[in-house]
Amino acid sequence: HVAEIIAARRQVSGWYDELLAGSSLRRPVLPLGTAYNYAYYPVIFQTEAQLLATKAALNAQEIHPRRYFYPSLNRLPYTHPVALPISEKTAACVLCLPLYGELTLSQVERIVQIIRTQI
């Protein structure tokens, strides 16, 4: 059933793409030829403060995005301390929106509406 699951998640990602178009959020750029499995829908906020406000607003509505890829790997206690300012800023601003095949268009619209009130 993997192909069906990926197709459903691709559809949900497409809805997010359409509904978030024109917003200040950025998305990671995939290299050409990538066979993407739609495991995550990461968005990059302009600031960590925007991310935190948006996450709190979503949580208040029982919607739980995740801060995957945080903190930046160079900040983990078991790595060599080295400054990586681009990685650190990006990691602080990435939020993964809910993404699963059973998510409906109306649910995605609600999520995006909450996000747009915060950015």
Side-chain angles (χ1 to χ4, degrees):
H1 300 284
V2 172
E4 293 88 7
I5 293 168
I6 291 173
R9 294 169 74 95
R10 182 183 308 117
Q11 175 65 59
V12 173
S13 293
W15 292 335
Y16 277 128
D17 289 344
E18 290 173 24
L19 295 168
L20 290 170
S23 75
S24 62
L25 297 177
R26 293 181 296 129
R27 295 263 299 131
V29 177
L30 297 175
L32 289 175
T34 299
Y36 189 51
N37 66 3
Y38 299 89
Y40 306 103
Y41 192 89
V43 292
I44 306 169
F45 287 80
Q46 291 182 334
T47 67
E48 186 176 24
Q50 277 186 339
L51 176 147
L52 294 173
T54 301
K55 185 175 183 293
L58 289 165
N59 288 168
Q61 297 297 314
E62 298 296 324
I63 301 166
H64 300 285
R66 301 277 309 266
R67 288 190 83 178
Y68 292 107
F69 321 115
Y70 177 80
S72 178
L73 293 179
N74 65 304
R75 292 295 189 179
L76 296 176
Y78 49 82
T79 63
H80 263 349
V82 59
L84 297 173
I86 294 171
S87 175
E88 292 166 18
K89 176 170 177 21
T90 302
C93 296
V94 174
L95 188 66
C96 289
L97 303 183
L99 177 60
Y100 51 94
E102 296 79 17
L103 205 59
T104 66
L105 177 56
S106 64
Q107 290 170 318
V108 172
E109 289 170 336
R110 181 171 171 237
I111 292 166
V112 170
Q113 179 184 27
I114 295 166
I115 291 169
R116 285 189 173 273
T117 66
Q118 301 298 315
I119 59 175

